[in-house]
Amino acid sequence: MSVAVIIVAAGRGTRAGEGLPKQWRDLAGRPVLAHTVEAFADLGRVIVVLHPDDMIRGLELLGGSATLVAGGASRAESVQNALETLEGSDVTRVLIHDGARPLIPQKVQQAVLDALDTHPGAAPALPVTDALWRGENGLVAGTQDREGLYRAQTPQGFRFPEILAAHRAHPGNAADDVEVARAAGMAVAIVPGHEDNLKITYAEDFARAEAILREKKGSQMDVRLGNGYDVHAFTEGDHVILCGVSIPHDKALLGHSDADVGMHALTDAIYGAMAEGDIGRHFPPSDPQWKGAASWIFLEHAANLAREKGFRIGNADVTLICERPKVGPHAIAMAQELARIMNVPADRVSVKATTSERLGFTGREEGIASIATVTLIGV
């Protein structure tokens, strides 16, 4: 059995309020779509259907972890576009899932796949338990028997040849793929859904989804600590750059890049927390393109990599060790600049300074040292 997962994320999500479409909005430090794709990472080939305007954003977020397909004018057309890319492959079963359902439990995925052993289609659902009313002009106009009614969820699973043929034969739009399948005469089994498998639709759904994520990961919180240390010697010049701030001085710092010793230490701390080595691994000094490079490039890369790996920056603390220049008057501006580059709140970044009491190379004013500590929290 070869499985493919189609994640439909081409909609605009207008009911979720103003701003980015809901699949691109932040959920616990990462886009909703990143959580959704990750939920199927171990299952098989993943195809993500995106609006044509979102393709670049999709490449930046997903890279080579998923195949990207442009969506169509309707959900059904978007799904068919993805199904067509699988023709001729070894895929025998396909799961079709909403990109705005980021909390799909693995046991629901497996229940759908198991049902395909005996049925051409299967989908998760929850029985309707609330009373149902019919309404007219804002008033209750009657009641509706809830017996046999279900709240549909995804992923909806199908044997691949049958669902491809069903989509090709379907005359137009459909609420979901079960409707397409049934129009083609396919029997679709109902398997148990899960209350956590909510579809983010309205703005308030984000808070509920974050609460579920916190509950799931509360007992398994992944907290990482990283330390960084860097030194740069003085050379001739008229200013130094420390933590992204240019400070007038009678010397400059010597380095392959802009020699921002504070930012280098912080960047190494982030890499270290992820067991990703140091700046030299990601930006080799032997590569001439990094000669004289601005250090914010390195820090931004480290912070973005942390997010891609499922972490948010809890806090960062940088200490600069030197006799001169005086750091105190610039410390707040430095912290704000580091926070801006890392895209974290300013109150989670600290920059401070100390001297070495005239001892050692920093005491002799031969250079500046920096140590940094960072906390990464798995999201």
Side-chain angles (χ1 to χ4, degrees):
M1 178 180 68
S2 180
V3 178
V5 180
I6 295 173
I7 297 175
V8 187
R12 299 293 86 184
T14 55
R15 288 179 291 178
E18 297 180 357
L20 290 172
K22 59 190 177 185
Q23 62 269 31
W24 299 110
R25 294 193 193 180
D26 182 89
L27 177 64
R30 304 166 67 199
V32 169
L33 185 58
H35 293 279
T36 307
V37 172
E38 185 179 77
F40 294 96
D42 299 328
L43 195 56
R45 179 178 177 182
V46 177
I47 300 172
V48 179
V49 186
L50 298 177
H51 191 281
D53 293 345
D54 293 338
M55 284 298 184
I56 294 177
R57 191 189 300 273
L59 286 170
E60 292 173 348
L61 176 67
L62 302 174
S65 63
T67 301
L68 305 184
V69 173
S74 66
R75 186 186 188 282
E77 185 178 338
S78 293
V79 172
Q80 184 174 344
N81 288 352
L83 290 170
E84 295 290 354
T85 68
L86 295 172
E87 188 176 29
S89 70
D90 63 349
V91 170
T92 57
R93 301 183 182 189
V94 61
L95 298 183
I96 304 171
H97 189 65
D98 295 327
R101 292 186 187 269
L103 306 176
I104 171 67
Q106 289 190 349
K107 66 180 181 180
V108 175
Q109 302 174 29
Q110 193 58 51
V112 173
L113 289 172
D114 290 345
L116 294 180
D117 290 340
T118 54
H119 297 81
L126 293 172
V128 173
T129 57
D130 295 323
L132 296 176
W133 299 336
R134 293 188 303 274
E136 292 179 7
N137 302 318
L139 300 175
V140 177
T143 60
Q144 176 68 49
D145 184 8
R146 62 176 179 255
E147 184 67 27
L149 296 181
Y150 289 82
R151 291 185 285 138
Q153 296 186 336
T154 65
Q156 298 175 353
F158 306 93
R159 295 172 186 168
F160 173 65
E162 285 93 330
I163 193 61
L164 176 60
H167 267 277
R168 286 173 172 173
H170 197 268
N173 201 4
D176 61 11
D177 300 285
V178 168
E179 182 177 340
V180 174
R182 295 190 69 250
M186 294 170 60
V188 180
I190 299 173
V191 303
H194 198 285
E195 287 290 353
D196 287 354
N197 188 23
L198 80 159
K199 183 178 182 180
I200 295 177
T201 304
Y202 301 104
E204 56 268 25
D205 293 334
F206 285 89
R208 182 183 167 199
E210 290 214 15
I212 293 171
L213 279 173
R214 285 196 301 270
E215 184 178 350
K216 281 185 173 182
K217 297 190 176 183
S219 61
Q220 307 173 17
M221 183 173 288
D222 190 358
V223 179
R224 307 284 188 91
L225 296 179
N227 294 310
Y229 176 76
D230 196 36
V231 172
H232 281 281
F234 280 126
T235 187
E236 293 182 358
D238 59 8
H239 73 284
V240 294
I241 298 176
L242 296 174
C243 297
V245 176
S246 179
I247 302 173
H249 192 47
D250 57 6
K251 298 176 183 177
L253 288 172
L254 181 64
H256 183 70
S257 62
D258 63 5
D260 189 331
V261 63
M263 204 175 291
H264 291 178
L266 178 55
T267 302
D268 276 352
I270 297 173
Y271 284 139
M274 296 184 290
E276 282 283 346
D278 58 12
I279 293 175
R281 177 188 295 185
H282 299 270
F283 302 92
S286 57
D287 189 335
Q289 70 173 310
W290 306 122
K291 183 173 178 58
S295 294
W296 67 262
I297 297 172
F298 312 147
L299 181 59
E300 183 180 66
H301 176 269
N304 287 340
L305 182 61
R307 276 185 283 272
E308 291 170 8
K309 292 173 74 70
F311 295 97
R312 64 177 176 86
I313 296 173
N315 75 297
D317 182 30
V318 179
T319 301
L320 298 165
I321 306 166
C322 60
E323 300 294 331
R324 292 187 308 125
K326 295 303 180 184
V327 171
H330 310 281
I332 293 177
M334 292 177 180
Q336 290 175 338
E337 179 63 6
L338 294 178
R340 184 191 67 79
I341 295 168
M342 295 186 293
N343 194 24
V344 300
D347 63 359
R348 293 186 177 271
V349 182
S350 169
V351 176
K352 58 190 186 297
T354 189
T355 72
S356 55
E357 300 294 338
R358 295 287 177 181
L359 299 175
F361 72 91
T362 57
R364 296 189 296 270
E365 297 191 40
E366 296 173 0
I368 298 179
S370 179
I371 57 175
T373 302
V374 69
T375 304
L376 299 183
I377 301 173
V379 294

